[in-house]
Amino acid sequence: MTRIDDKFAQLKAEGKKAFVAYVMAGDPDEEKSLEIVKALPAAGVDIIELGLPFTDPMADGPTIQLAGQRALDHGMTLTKTLAVAKAFRETDTTTPLVLMGYYNPIYSRGVDKFLVDAAEAGIDGLIIVDLPPEEDDELCIPAQAAGLNFIRLATPTTDDKRLPKVLENTSGFVYYVSVTGVTGAAEAAGADVGPEVARIKSQTDLPVIVGFGVNTPEKAQEIASIADGTVVGSAIVKQIAEGKSVAEVAAFIKTLSDGAHRA
């Protein structure tokens, strides 16, 4: 059992849906990003997705691309991203931390070393968007052997033939991408998402969390009501890009988490 498994068990017992928040490590700089991450649990965030800055973020729209660039411009690295996680763990030992990003920085570090370092830093799961199931031996299988969940994305184009392969070695939860395209590109529509969530849940006992295109408390409530929870990323990152204070960012996130928790 990981912290992610424990969190979903707790939410189920409370009759609540999960609210997941994405922030980019190092945005707008290392110090402030750590302050924001530390503020997330009190703002109602159940699971934190910590973005790993990368120079070629092909799944990300302009908002998160720019966040990654700001982080890189301030010298953010994989080592410093893990340091943010480790610093967060000094005051919070229960909130799940999921590292979300691309394989290149991990490959460059070396998978074995990375997994040791990630576990020591308190990372609970990985979402590596450019590693398909055919590459599970690269990172997925070693990560799960090291006690980390490996969370896979399913999309509107994941058909019934492909879905079992996507689910095969997934753990923690399934991340359903509600729209085709990049992050922040379009708004999620409950009428479209509902049947897809039901289709996925018919093939797995894992929680299904819906992300991409969720940007208001009302949308968070709508999407969480037809899934096991929802993720908000770009809308939060926009607040950071606008130079809002940590308190202002946290207050905005609280409105979103309240929406999801009303579902």
Side-chain angles (χ1 to χ4, degrees):
M1 293 283 285
T2 65
R3 289 186 186 94
I4 296 171
D5 301 323
D6 289 343
K7 176 58 69 175
F8 279 112
Q10 174 196 334
L11 290 167
K12 186 175 182 179
E14 295 173 357
K16 290 172 67 176
K17 300 300 181 75
F19 180 71
V20 183
Y22 171 97
V23 294
M24 178 69 72
D27 178 35
D29 56 57
E30 187 176 355
E31 183 179 355
K32 188 172 181 180
S33 78
L34 175 57
E35 291 179 29
I36 292 169
V37 172
K38 285 184 172 181
L40 295 178
V45 175
D46 298 303
I47 298 172
I48 298 168
E49 284 182 10
L50 189 62
L52 173 60
F54 182 52
T55 52
D56 189 21
M58 60 186 180
D60 296 318
T63 299
I64 292 179
Q65 281 195 30
L66 288 169
Q69 193 58 56
R70 287 191 297 272
L72 292 170
D73 288 346
H74 280 91
M76 205 62 184
T77 62
L78 173 54
T79 297
K80 290 182 177 180
T81 298
L82 294 177
V84 168
K86 194 168 188 176
F88 171 77
R89 281 283 172 244
E90 292 173 1
T91 55
D92 188 309
T93 60
T94 59
T95 304
L97 271 177
V98 175
L99 190 67
M100 184 170 187
Y102 299 84
Y103 185 46
N104 187 280
I106 295 169
Y107 177 80
S108 297
R109 191 183 196 87
V111 167
D112 292 345
K113 178 170 173 47
F114 164 75
L115 291 173
V116 169
D117 294 343
E120 286 182 354
I123 297 294
D124 302 293
L126 303 174
I127 302 174
I128 307 301
V129 300
D130 55 347
L131 272 182
E134 287 74 16
E135 305 297 336
D136 275 357
D137 289 341
E138 283 281 328
L139 181 62
C140 173
I141 304 301
Q144 302 205 107
L148 277 70
N149 290 127
F150 199 88
I151 297 146
R152 190 88 66 194
L153 304 180
T155 75
T157 60
T158 306
D159 61 19
D160 288 338
K161 183 178 179 181
R162 181 66 173 168
L163 185 59
K165 185 68 173 176
V166 169
L167 296 174
E168 187 175 6
N169 291 315
T170 300
S171 64
F173 60 91
V174 180
Y175 187 135
Y176 179 69
V177 176
S178 65
V179 298
T180 54
V182 295
T183 56
E187 188 170 83
D192 297 330
V193 171
E196 291 298 298
V197 169
R199 183 169 68 94
I200 295 167
K201 289 181 76 67
S202 72
Q203 297 197 36
T204 181
D205 292 330
L206 291 171
V208 179
I209 304 299
V210 177
F212 285 47
V214 180
N215 48 26
T216 66
E218 296 74 22
K219 185 60 68 174
Q221 181 176 1
E222 176 193 359
I223 297 301
S225 71
I226 54 181
D228 296 299
T230 190
V231 185
V232 178
S234 293
I236 295 169
V237 172
K238 281 180 183 175
Q239 297 281 311
I240 298 168
E242 290 169 6
K244 301 286 180 68
S245 69
V246 174
E248 288 171 324
V249 173
F252 173 71
I253 293 170
K254 184 68 163 61
T255 68
L256 297 166
S257 67
D258 285 348
H261 290 148
R262 282 194 296 270

